């Protein structure tokens, strides 16, 4: 029974809704809002670009899992075009800045997996 209750609570933390084809993800104290393309934390909110939204959606969709730069590139640029995978590093830098401004904390929610890519560090 305890394991079942833990699974239910975990599912509630990671529940998601679909609106207009874009997903809304609830994770920890964050809400990645697909309808307004924003990231909410408490009563604060910050606007995201479509690319930032797609990257955060992948990272928050599987917290703790490493996502390669190629996976993240494919989420942003669905076409088969050649781009340096370091483009993702710039997106991550901007997203981290927005999260830091939103939370007013130095906590790193996006974890770097050296030699692999990035992942959401669920606290």
């Amino acid at each position: 029974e305890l394991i079942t209750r833990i699974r239910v609570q975990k599912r509630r933390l990671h529940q998601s809704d679909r609106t207009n084809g874009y997903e809304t993800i609830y994770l920890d104290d964050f809400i990645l809002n697909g309808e307004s393309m924003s990231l909410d934390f408490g009563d604060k909110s910050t606007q995201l670009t479509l690319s930032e939204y797609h990257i955060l959606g992948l990272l928050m969709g599987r917290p703790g899992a490493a996502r390669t730069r190629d996976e993240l590139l494919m989420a942003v640029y669905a076409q088969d075009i050649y781009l340096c995978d370091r483009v993702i590093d710039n997106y991550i830098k901007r997203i981290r800045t927005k999260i830091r401004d939103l939370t007013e904390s130095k906590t790193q929610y996006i974890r770097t997996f050296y030699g692999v890519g990035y992942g959401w560090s669920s606290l």
Side-chain angles (χ1 to χ4, degrees), residues 23-39:
E23 198 171 13
T24 297
I25 299 174
Y26 304 88
L27 181 62
D28 300 328
D29 294 330
F30 291 94
I31 300 172
L32 180 62
N33 193 328
E35 191 171 330
S36 64
M37 290 292 165
S38 64
L39 182 65

Side-chain angles (χ1 to χ4, degrees), residues 12 35-36 40 48 54 57 64 66 69 80 85 95 100 117 119:
R12 285 184 186 155
E35 191 171 330
S36 64
D40 304 330
L48 300 171
H54 285 301
R69 286 183 177 89
D80 192 19
D85 60 356
I95 293 169
R100 188 172 40 252

Side-chain angles (χ1 to χ4, degrees), residues 30 39-41 44-46 98-104:
F30 291 94
L39 182 65
D40 304 330
F41 182 81
K44 295 183 180 180
S45 181
T46 187
K98 287 182 178 187
I99 291 173
R100 188 172 40 252
D101 293 344
L102 191 64
T103 62
E104 297 175 358

Side-chain angles (χ1 to χ4, degrees), residues 4-117:
T4 304
R5 286 179 186 230
I6 291 171
R7 285 183 183 149
V8 168
Q9 288 298 323
K10 194 172 181 180
R11 238 185 325 210
R12 285 184 186 155
L13 285 175
H14 301 292
Q15 76 184 40
S16 64
D17 300 326
R18 286 205 168 266
T19 43
N20 299 333
Y22 293 106
E23 198 171 13
T24 297
I25 299 174
Y26 304 88
L27 181 62
D28 300 328
D29 294 330
F30 291 94
I31 300 172
L32 180 62
N33 193 328
E35 191 171 330
S36 64
M37 290 292 165
S38 64
L39 182 65
D40 304 330
F41 182 81
D43 61 347
K44 295 183 180 180
S45 181
T46 187
Q47 283 302 123
L48 300 171
T49 65
L50 184 60
S51 300
E52 292 168 346
Y53 168 81
H54 285 301
I55 290 170
L56 269 176
L58 269 180
L59 297 178
M60 293 175 75
R62 286 185 40 212
R67 297 292 192 151
T68 65
R69 286 183 177 89
D70 287 337
E71 283 180 277
L72 297 172
L73 261 177
M74 291 303 292
V76 175
Y77 301 103
Q79 303 165 1
D80 192 19
I81 60 174
Y82 176 75
L83 286 174
C84 176
D85 60 356
R86 295 298 177 177
V87 169
I88 294 300
D89 296 342
N90 289 320
Y91 281 119
I92 295 294
K93 181 180 176 183
R94 288 195 317 227
I95 293 169
R96 282 179 171 160
T97 300
K98 287 182 178 187
I99 291 173
R100 188 172 40 252
D101 293 344
L102 191 64
T103 62
E104 297 175 358
S105 168
K106 293 191 182 227
T107 304
Q108 289 292 331
Y109 290 95
I110 297 178
R111 178 179 168 201
T112 302
F113 289 91
Y114 291 99
V116 178

